Amino acid sequence: MIRTSFSMFGAGALLTAGALVTGANASPFDASLVAADAEWVVHVDVEAVLSSQIGGFMLEHADEFGAEMEHLEALEEQFGIDPFDAIYGVTVYGYDEPGEDPIVVIVGSDKIAGALDEATKQDGSPVRATNRGFSIDGELEIAVFEGQRGVAAYIVSEDDDMVSDGADVLAGRRSNLADAKWGKLRPVEGHGAMVMLSATGSMDDLANGHGHNMGPAGAFLDGAEGFSALIAEDGGQLHVVVSTTAADEKKASGLVEMANGLVSMARGFMQMQNGGDDFEEIKQFAGLLDGLNISADGRDVSLSISYDVDKIIDLIENADF
């Protein structure tokens, strides 16, 4: 099997990635792994999630949340790969509607390639070697780029052309998002980031395309372009930030006023329940409102919330789902 070497193309994407730092397999978002003309991107720093309080809690209680872990267990059983140990970060991007024809870039251990290589030698195996990596059942194509210190990048897609596109980005034959200074996408950064996403297009189209009705917010989000979100844990605090750009400053101000009005209504509802049977349970959520901030800077609108992780875990544990 022929695997592509980073040094062959002079690509430095993974050679400078956080996953290559000695003693740490963290994989923060690396814009150089994404095509410059991407219309949307989602990144999960798997190591950051697993090392966080909230991530550890969610994983421990995965069954209670209805998470299906069977496919991950099957992966370990079939290939001998523990995905939580071998995968450091996952970036997914595309050129059309969010979720359509995705290109997946996995930064992880070179043991994944080794396991797939071994699988090609087994009778009846769905895995076969290709000139750039592997093919699974002829339905999933994987290009492998080997880095240093046991780290590799895997370009994965059901479409062979998409794998070629992703490989061209890593090989330096196609411009990347870092060189394009995020291109048409809204930059997303934050210390302790676990999950981030950014997408172009109108908010109305993004919502309608996924079957969501914007309700009263629709009047203010009409004409809004782009969307970004960040989930991070830092210093015992969970931070969530979502942003968009309104059509004009008037609509941006209107969106902030409407959101603040809804918060005031929620506070009023809590006060009305004072003394009621459910008041103590409802009161637990008051702190979430205290950590909520909604603001506009020109046309840019941002909603952020920061809250103590221990208290969030208490809320989840005490919630009646």
Side-chain angles (χ1 to χ4, degrees):
M1 180 186 67
I2 301 174
R3 295 183 193 150
T4 306
S5 167
F6 288 130
S7 58
M8 185 184 299
F9 295 109
L14 289 185
L15 302 184
T16 57
L20 293 178
V21 177
T22 302
N25 289 330
S27 185
F29 178 65
D30 185 347
S32 66
L33 303 180
V34 178
D37 53 346
E39 294 286 335
W40 59 273
V41 61
V42 179
H43 177 75
V44 179
D45 185 334
V46 176
E47 197 280 336
V49 172
L50 295 178
S51 63
S52 69
Q53 285 181 262
I54 193 69
F57 173 79
M58 299 296 281
L59 184 61
E60 182 181 350
H61 297 273
D63 291 340
E64 298 172 40
F65 294 118
E68 298 181 1
M69 308 295 285
E70 291 83 0
H71 59 294
L72 295 179
E73 294 169 358
L75 184 67
E76 184 170 7
E77 182 177 340
Q78 183 172 0
F79 298 109
I81 301 171
D82 180 354
F84 294 120
D85 179 60
I87 297 175
Y88 310 148
V90 179
T91 301
V92 187
Y93 70 94
Y95 307 113
D96 297 310
E97 294 291 328
E100 293 291 326
D101 299 321
I103 297 173
V104 181
V105 184
I106 298 173
V107 175
S109 169
D110 60 2
K111 292 179 181 178
I112 298 174
L116 291 171
D117 205 11
E118 285 299 315
T120 65
K121 304 171 185 176
Q122 300 173 9
D123 292 337
S125 172
V127 184
R128 67 176 179 84
T130 66
N131 64 348
R132 62 185 176 193
F134 306 92
S135 177
I136 301 179
D137 268 337
E139 297 180 356
L140 198 66
E141 303 301 319
I142 304 172
V144 181
F145 282 71
E146 293 183 339
Q148 295 179 350
R149 305 181 190 177
V151 176
Y154 304 86
I155 313 298
V156 184
S157 178
E158 295 179 352
D159 188 320
D160 190 63
D161 289 337
M162 290 295 186
V163 172
S164 295
D165 283 350
D168 284 345
V169 174
L170 264 68
R173 295 188 294 264
R174 181 169 181 166
S175 59
N176 62 60
L177 201 59
D179 292 338
K181 301 187 184 303
W182 283 73
K184 294 180 287 185
L185 292 171
R186 175 190 300 272
V188 183
E189 297 177 330
H191 191 65
M194 298 182 291
V195 181
M196 61 75 62
L197 68 90
S198 185
T200 64
S202 73
M203 284 291 292
D204 196 44
D205 288 345
L206 288 172
N208 292 335
H210 290 79
H212 300 303
N213 189 324
M214 300 305 293
F220 300 109
L221 287 173
D222 181 37
E225 291 288 335
F227 174 80
S228 65
L230 172 75
I231 302 175
E233 183 180 304
D234 184 39
Q237 296 279 308
L238 184 68
H239 307 284
V240 179
V241 182
V242 296
S243 303
T244 188
T245 300
D248 53 50
E249 292 188 14
K250 183 178 180 180
K251 287 186 176 181
S253 297
L255 189 59
V256 171
E257 291 174 4
M258 184 194 70
N260 283 325
L262 292 174
V263 171
S264 296
M265 288 176 61
R267 293 186 187 280
F269 173 77
M270 290 180 180
Q271 289 299 322
M272 289 172 60
Q273 301 303 310
N274 194 352
D277 294 338
D278 299 326
F279 180 66
E280 289 303 317
E281 182 176 346
I282 293 173
K283 189 172 65 173
Q284 297 180 75
F285 293 90
L288 288 173
L289 295 179
D290 292 336
L292 184 65
N293 180 59
I294 306 152
S295 61
D297 181 7
R299 294 170 53 211
D300 293 331
V301 180
S302 176
L303 183 151
S304 64
I305 184 168
S306 298
Y307 200 59
D308 185 271
V309 176
D310 289 328
K311 292 182 179 179
I312 289 179
I313 291 175
D314 287 341
L315 285 175
I316 297 173
E317 289 181 325
N318 294 327
D320 183 18
F321 291 109

